[in-house]
Amino acid sequence: MNAYLVQFYQSGRGRLSWDEVEHMGCAEIDAVVGWLGEQDYLFGARPSSADCAVYAFLQGLIYVPFENGIKAHALAQSRLRAYAWPEFLKVIIRDHAQRKGVRRSAWEHRYLSSA
């Protein structure tokens, strides 16, 4: 068995049902949104290394090649979208899609059009 799968199983998360994984993931998203409140960044007006870590986590969550409840929950949080995907990212995504002739994904269509 792959060493990563063994570690995943031994950590406990590999033994959870998908519903349990989604519940935990959504709770983690809610914790970030709650901590942010109206602040620009996690600890106030300036970004910190914690913001970098959360940003990386969110990017990994959103850019998975399949739809899931955690991704949908994260994208539904307007505060989180404003924190993690500022205006310039919308322009980059649109430009990339136009240059590559790529059809926009469902979340890009929904959230880039409405934000």
Side-chain angles (χ1 to χ4, degrees), residues 5-17 20-21 24:
L5 293 176
V6 170
Q7 289 176 354
F8 186 64
Y9 181 81
Q10 289 173 341
S11 73
R13 288 200 176 200
R15 291 176 260 178
L16 299 174
S17 70
E20 291 170 315
V21 170
M24 288 176 67

Side-chain angles (χ1 to χ4, degrees), residues 35-36 38-48 51 79 83:
W35 183 272
L36 267 173
E38 296 302 315
Q39 304 177 113
D40 290 336
Y41 300 99
L42 292 172
F43 297 110
R46 297 184 58 183
S48 68
D51 292 289
R79 180 66 192 98
Y83 168 71

Side-chain angles (χ1 to χ4, degrees), residues 31-109:
V32 171
V33 171
W35 183 272
L36 267 173
E38 296 302 315
Q39 304 177 113
D40 290 336
Y41 300 99
L42 292 172
F43 297 110
R46 297 184 58 183
S48 68
S49 58
D51 292 289
C52 293
V54 169
Y55 182 82
F57 167 78
L58 291 171
Q59 299 312 301
L61 172 71
I62 298 308
Y63 291 107
V64 295
F66 55 89
E67 300 300 317
N68 64 68
I70 303 168
K71 178 179 178 177
H73 184 70
L75 289 171
Q77 308 299 316
S78 61
R79 180 66 192 98
L80 196 61
R81 289 195 319 270
Y83 168 71
W85 302 283
E87 200 63 35
F88 76 91
L89 280 178
K90 295 176 187 174
V91 173
I92 290 170
I93 291 169
R94 286 183 184 132
D95 181 59
H96 175 74
Q98 288 172 351
R99 281 186 289 117
K100 299 287 186 180
V102 175
R103 187 171 161 246
R104 289 170 67 175
S105 71
W107 79 264
E108 287 172 324
H109 179 72

